[in-house]
Amino acid sequence: MLIGKPRDVRASEITPESIYRQRRQFIKGLAAGSAMLMSGQASALARYALDDEQQRYPGPDWLQQKLRAAGKSGEFSTAEKLTPYEHVTGYNNFYEFGLGKEDPKARAQGLKTDPWSVEISGEVHKPGTYQLEDILKGVDLEERIYRLRCVEAWSMVIPWVGFPLADLLKRFDPKGNARYVAFTTLEDPQQMPRQRSRFGTIDWPYVEGLRMDEAMHPLTLLAVGVYGDALPPQNGAPLRLVVPWKYGFKSIKSIVRIHLSEEMPPTSWNRTAPQEYGFYANVNPAVDHPRWSQSTERRLPSSLFSPNIIDTQPFNGYADQVAHLYKGMDLRKWY
């Protein structure tokens, strides 16, 4: 079990983070606190003005309670217009379920995500396999609105709910020689039909990796929710990585293993097509993909008759926060 302070509160008593952290003031101002409690527990339908006919993925009760208590992080969030829910959850790359953008939503709904465990291994002092519910005990979730830029030159703006990857890694006490962090997606051909195909280009399971300073950067998020609810299976339930200054394929889904190592780990797309997909995969409008330009992107929703084409920003608009990580590196070579 991970060391953490569980919250002995009922779902009806969960309050926004700002009130929770001011416990004494909350007790004194019970009436005001009760009003905020009701606001904090408002459904995602009301908070985001979503149509009640849109399919929701509620997730287990214990996770929903934490999601309702999540605070908002304006420090890290963009004020750009959100991508509509139906695009965020209906236009996905998750090759374990198929090659089409609609395949994940159509084929992933049977994915069993509770209970869920994550193995922590490699250069850490506290390795082991932990249940997701235990990992999240004592963790304050927060909403962060990030830009997502796909290597295929389309993009979204998504309200994720999660917590910094750095907070989790610190709990396992990385060793001094841990220089990289590798992540592995679930491999289960019975639940993931594309893994049964003989004609796939990816050697399953899907794996990704970050340099340690990238993993510890405060922007790097482990997400468990989107649009105020639990992640749908097609979006990487129940636990996925979000690294907003990198192309979307770096933000690995349905994580079952986190491994710290001294050597740079192999990653799925880099191993499959190294001339097209580098290890770093930082968003860079000056470095084209061999088969298309990266200077612009389609911000969804976008269509043939109503295109929404915008300029791509270096590091996806997060250069002020992360460019120093790559000082002195040739970003055409280390793409």
Side-chain angles (χ1 to χ4, degrees):
M1 301 281 283
L2 286 175
I3 298 174
K5 184 178 180 180
R7 297 180 178 180
D8 298 321
V9 294
R10 298 186 297 273
S12 62
E13 297 174 329
I14 295 177
T15 64
E17 182 182 1
S18 59
I19 299 299
Y20 176 80
R21 293 187 177 277
Q22 301 176 37
R23 184 180 299 273
R24 293 181 180 178
Q25 294 180 8
F26 169 65
I27 294 174
K28 291 179 180 179
L30 183 59
S34 296
M36 294 191 71
L37 169 67
M38 294 176 64
S39 174
Q41 288 190 312
S43 71
L45 294 177
R47 288 164 58 191
Y48 296 103
L50 296 175
D51 188 331
D52 61 6
E53 293 182 357
Q54 290 176 315
Q55 183 178 353
R56 313 298 295 167
Y57 185 74
D61 290 342
W62 64 265
L63 179 55
Q64 282 300 99
Q65 291 179 16
K66 294 193 69 70
L67 289 166
R68 289 169 181 164
K72 295 181 180 292
S73 179
E75 177 184 3
F76 297 104
S77 295
T78 177
E80 295 172 63
K81 183 179 179 181
L82 298 180
T83 300
Y85 178 83
E86 60 268 25
H87 292 274
V88 172
T89 61
Y91 192 91
N92 307 106
N93 282 327
F94 201 165
Y95 282 8
E96 285 83 344
F97 296 100
L99 304 183
K101 296 294 186 289
E102 295 78 21
D103 289 342
K105 182 176 181 179
R107 299 175 180 176
Q109 299 311 309
L111 180 66
K112 184 179 179 181
T113 60
D114 184 53
W116 189 273
S117 62
V118 180
E119 178 189 358
I120 310 297
S121 61
E123 301 301 328
V124 292
H125 290 103
K126 299 177 182 178
T129 298
Y130 303 90
Q131 293 297 312
L132 181 59
E133 187 171 2
D134 294 327
I135 288 175
L136 293 181
K137 283 182 179 177
V139 172
D140 292 323
L141 299 179
E142 59 185 53
E143 179 186 78
R144 295 187 181 184
I145 301 173
Y146 281 167
R147 291 178 289 272
L148 175 91
R149 171 56 154 86
C150 181
V151 73
E152 297 168 344
W154 53 266
S155 64
M156 299 183 181
V157 177
I158 302 175
W160 304 105
V161 183
F163 62 102
L165 172 62
D167 290 355
L168 182 67
L169 295 179
K170 291 174 185 177
R171 293 164 70 180
F172 299 111
D173 192 11
K175 296 180 181 179
N177 62 336
R179 299 179 58 227
Y180 294 90
V181 184
F183 308 85
T184 304
T185 293
L186 175 70
E187 182 177 16
D188 188 339
Q190 295 303 311
Q191 296 192 81
M192 296 173 154
R194 187 67 186 174
Q195 290 180 342
R196 301 194 296 266
S197 172
R198 297 181 179 179
F199 304 103
T201 58
I202 295 177
D203 184 15
W204 308 112
Y206 190 89
V207 291
E208 257 305 336
L210 298 173
R211 209 170 59 191
M212 180 62 75
D213 57 348
E214 297 175 321
M216 299 298 286
H217 193 280
L219 281 175
T220 306
L221 196 71
L222 282 173
V224 295
V226 67
Y227 261 103
D229 279 330
L231 286 172
Q234 64 267 28
N235 290 96
L239 182 71
R240 67 166 290 164
L241 187 68
V242 182
V243 193
W245 71 91
K246 294 178 178 289
Y247 291 120
F249 68 85
K250 296 293 290 187
S251 295
I252 187 170
K253 302 177 177 75
S254 301
I255 297 169
V256 295
R257 188 185 186 209
I258 299 175
H259 181 82
L260 280 69
S261 65
E262 188 171 4
E263 303 297 327
M264 180 183 287
T267 59
S268 287
W269 281 111
N270 181 240
R271 189 165 51 191
T272 299
Q275 73 281 6
E276 297 186 2
Y277 308 104
F279 175 84
Y280 286 95
N282 292 320
V283 175
N284 191 344
V287 178
D288 290 337
H289 186 281
R291 290 179 280 132
W292 57 79
S293 170
Q294 296 288 23
S295 63
T296 62
E297 63 201 63
R298 290 185 300 117
R299 173 63 55 82
L300 300 183
S302 176
S303 67
L304 179 63
F305 299 105
S306 183
N308 186 15
I309 308 300
I310 63 175
D311 291 336
T312 291
Q313 303 177 67
F315 298 103
N316 202 25
Y318 298 96
D320 288 347
Q321 291 83 10
V322 303
H324 68 277
L325 298 178
Y326 311 100
K327 185 177 180 179
M329 294 178 61
D330 181 348
L331 298 184
R332 290 185 175 274
K333 176 181 179 182
W334 303 106
Y335 58 94

